[in-house]
Amino acid sequence: MSELNSNIAKLAPYVAAIGDTGILNHINGQAVPSASDMWFDTTSPVDDSLIARVARSDADDVDAAAQAAKSAFPAWRDMAAAERKRILHAIADGIEARAEEIALCECWDTGQALRFMSKAALRGAANFRFFADRAPSARDGQALPSPTLMNITTRVPIGPVGVITPWNTPFMLSTWKIAPALAAGCTVVHKPAELSPWTARILIEIAEEAGLPPGVWNVINGLGEEAGKALTEHPDIKAIAFVGESATGSAIMAQGAPTLKRVHFELGGKNPVVVFDDADLDAALDAAIFMIYSLNGERCTSSSRLLVQDTIAEEFEAKLAARAKAIKVGHPLDPATEVGPLIHEGHRDKVMASFDTAKTEGATIAAGGTRVGETGQFVAPTLFTNATNDMKIAQEEIFGPVLTSIRFKTEEEALNIANDTAYGLTGYVWTADVTRAMRFTEKLEAGMIWVNSANVRHLPTPFGGMKASGIGRDGGDWSFEFYMEQKHIGIATGDPNIPRLGV
Ligand code: NAD
């Protein structure tokens, strides 16, 4: 049996089981349908076949989940941090034990290729371990003595929080948000993306089997404009951690305004990879290809704009086009597949609309620009050349395996082009000149920049974007800054010297 067929066979029992039960909400330790008994379908991007029906929640379901999170909050907040740490490590153990199931189900639900998703579960487990180890020090503060006071600071968890996640790498992103929230002592209501709800159900099962008390983590399925909106408006939800499109971030900010929600946004990008002619061009080529065509290009940190120096552009673009054409598009469960199907028909239409836009705007389609096959949401890895930065294909996030190449002459011009975008998530700079790298990164408007490297996530470092790419940072202690309130306590160290009025 081929590895693909063997993986399909391994997936079959999971598909059968989820088909029987459907994907339910999870409130206060119970798997439950929505109160209205409404449902929607989740289908596979491979062939549009039904995976399962999914609970379609409304404001009543969100309220039930928020009440559960509110009731569970005091005990979870006051639990000894060492015990929280133990439970979070047990969740990581559970994720590792079910890593293969998670990978297979994630591929079938999202279309992401197994070669990348096989590591997603392990990265999810690593997120839990990282924040588990930091739980005992989350409340630590400073001593800032003044002449009359011993000033101390401490942090306390903000309360029940809402976590809203997208469909591109749903399992990993959910762990990234939920692990620090739990480590900080917050309780959680999670709203997974409607297009990829499956692995959120596996995750909550693992968490409660690992000993997480009921109500500490609740999952509400549903549409963004219904369940998601209700979550952002709920008065008992103190903060919203959101990963998704910039326009949705704006909507959430408006929806959360009446209840003064604290928000943390990880949004879209149109990230430049800037290649100077003195760079290690083989490595730059590998990185440019990897950072746009891996994960189907459905990646917020993808390098979707190539800025290449004119002296090397011809050859670099030609090599890139040849490699893009050779990328293996295929079934996500085939280990040889490099690009799988896009998440959904609507998204495939959006990505393919950029092919027409490129032609209308006068760019050249140097590779791809077509659908692959007639079933499922497969598109060919695509390269646009002869593009300028004012084109829509250079300004709008396409969120697919589509790269727009723009040539530049000087460092100054490269910087201007790189920064001439609404977004500011990541930047990638390739040069052998360290002084130029320092100068360039100083001025580059991006929350995260890699020099002579692809994106390599290191959990202690801050992750997040500038401009329309986000508000706030994840990782290290930055996650705790969002999920916790700072407190200052001043204790008089002698005569408090209070001015006497009305004496
Ligand atoms: P999306 O904004 O359409 O949806 C994300 C989530 O928000 C879903 O769960 C959806 O149901 C919910 N939602 C939609 N409308 C809502 C509303 N009015 N109120 C509350 N919730 C609502 O995003 P998507 O299409 O699922 O994901 C792709 C986007 O995510 C891309 O723009 C990508 O760049 C971005 N992304 C960013 C990062 C990052 O770290 N910066 C990471 C991954 C993805």
Side-chain angles (χ1 to χ4, degrees):
M1 204 192 301
S2 71
E3 276 193 78
L4 168 60
N5 286 339
S6 145
N7 287 333
I8 292 173
K10 283 185 203 160
L11 175 74
Y14 302 126
V15 177
I18 204 75
D20 286 345
T21 60
I23 296 179
L24 300 169
N25 291 337
H26 200 95
I27 301 175
N28 206 20
Q30 302 292 321
V32 288
S34 64
S36 66
D37 203 28
M38 296 273 280
W39 302 85
F40 64 95
D41 291 341
T42 184
T43 55
S44 175
V46 177
D47 57 8
D48 295 322
S49 62
L50 178 71
I51 296 175
R53 59 181 199 157
V54 186
R56 180 170 167 177
S57 311
D58 61 18
D60 289 341
D61 303 295
V62 169
D63 185 53
Q67 294 305 332
K70 187 180 179 185
S71 302
F73 175 63
W76 182 246
R77 175 195 61 199
D78 296 339
M79 180 184 277
E83 179 61 4
R84 274 207 306 279
K85 172 178 169 178
R86 190 192 63 73
I87 294 172
L88 297 186
H89 273 295
I91 296 174
D93 295 341
I95 293 172
E96 285 167 3
R98 289 175 73 175
E100 184 176 60
E101 174 191 352
I102 291 165
L104 295 171
C105 297
E106 186 91 317
C107 291
W108 193 239
D109 206 12
T110 63
Q112 294 287 7
L114 187 61
R115 66 165 59 215
F116 303 117
M117 286 309 101
S118 60
K119 295 173 201 104
L122 301 181
R123 285 190 65 192
N127 287 335
F128 270 94
R129 296 205 190 285
F130 179 85
F131 287 107
D133 287 339
R134 276 159 182 75
S137 56
R139 294 187 190 180
D140 288 358
Q142 297 182 40
L144 302 164
S146 64
T148 57
L149 292 166
M150 172 48 77
N151 298 287
I152 56 171
T153 71
T154 184
R155 287 192 298 204
V156 292
I158 191 169
V161 298
V163 173
I164 302 178
T165 47
W167 46 255
N168 58 328
T169 50
F171 184 84
M172 207 286 294
L173 285 172
S174 304
T175 62
W176 192 339
K177 293 288 170 188
I178 293 169
L182 296 177
C186 294
T187 53
V188 172
V189 178
H190 176 207
K191 211 296 281 172
E194 52 270 47
L195 296 178
S196 61
W198 194 352
T199 52
R201 179 188 157 125
I202 301 175
L203 191 50
I204 185 73
E205 278 172 17
I206 291 171
E208 293 197 345
E209 278 165 18
L212 193 76
V216 169
W217 177 353
N218 308 275
V219 180
I220 285 290
N221 288 288
L223 309 184
E225 296 72 20
E226 294 175 2
K229 182 167 181 287
L231 184 58
T232 62
E233 291 172 345
H234 200 286
D236 290 326
I237 296 295
K238 299 299 170 202
I240 295 286
F242 168 73
V243 186
E245 285 185 25
S246 301
T248 314
S250 298
I252 289 175
M253 196 173 242
Q255 291 159 198
T259 50
L260 294 174
K261 285 282 180 294
R262 180 183 289 187
V263 291
H264 184 170
F265 288 162
E266 283 175 2
L267 309 173
K270 194 75 184 178
N271 310 299
V273 50
V274 185
V275 182
F276 289 98
D277 60 8
D278 63 348
D280 176 342
L281 295 178
D282 290 336
L285 185 68
D286 286 344
I289 291 168
F290 176 72
M291 284 310 304
I292 185 63
Y293 300 121
S294 60
L295 299 177
N296 302 346
E298 295 166 323
R299 178 181 196 149
C300 56
T301 53
S302 73
S303 56
S304 49
R305 284 186 301 154
L306 167 68
L307 276 49
V308 57
Q309 198 151 21
D310 57 355
T311 41
I312 53 159
E314 190 104 15
E315 195 183 339
F316 197 85
E317 287 173 344
K319 285 184 178 168
L320 221 159
R323 291 269 295 272
K325 286 175 190 165
I327 285 175
K328 187 167 180 337
V329 179
H331 195 293
L333 295 180
D334 183 344
T337 290
E338 294 171 318
V339 168
L342 299 175
I343 182 79
H344 187 260
E345 190 181 354
H347 187 54
R348 193 200 70 213
D349 287 346
K350 180 190 157 194
V351 170
M352 290 187 62
S354 76
F355 305 159
D356 294 332
T357 308
K359 286 180 211 150
T360 314
E361 290 185 312
T364 304
I365 300 182
T370 56
R371 187 176 175 188
V372 176
E374 278 162 23
T375 311
Q377 317 307 339
F378 299 87
V379 299
T382 296
L383 172 66
F384 301 143
T385 55
N386 289 319
T388 52
N389 201 51
D390 55 347
M391 294 178 179
K392 278 189 186 168
I393 54 167
Q395 291 292 328
E396 294 178 0
E397 187 185 43
I398 298 170
F399 216 57
V402 182
L403 176 60
T404 301
S405 178
I406 301 160
R407 298 182 182 189
F408 70 86
K409 282 191 169 55
T410 63
E411 180 183 326
E412 190 188 4
E413 190 189 0
L415 185 66
N416 287 339
I417 297 172
N419 286 341
D420 181 16
T421 165
Y423 296 106
L425 190 58
T426 62
Y428 306 89
V429 182
W430 287 86
T431 176
D433 180 344
V434 70
T435 309
R436 168 155 65 194
M438 291 298 292
R439 196 167 54 223
F440 200 87
T441 53
E442 178 73 19
K443 296 263 171 64
L444 187 58
E445 294 166 359
M448 296 168 281
I449 304 171
W450 283 268
V451 177
N452 299 332
S453 172
N455 172 340
V456 182
R457 181 82 188 106
H458 180 52
L459 289 172
T461 61
F463 185 105
M466 296 179 175
K467 295 155 74 176
S469 290
I471 297 174
R473 295 292 182 271
D474 266 317
D477 197 59
W478 289 277
S479 297
F480 287 153
E481 280 294 299
F482 177 69
Y483 291 115
M484 303 183 85
E485 293 279 17
Q486 276 288 348
K487 277 171 101 166
H488 159 243
I489 302 152
I491 305 161
T493 47
D495 179 352
N497 267 328
I498 298 165
R500 302 184 68 218
L501 307 182
V503 180

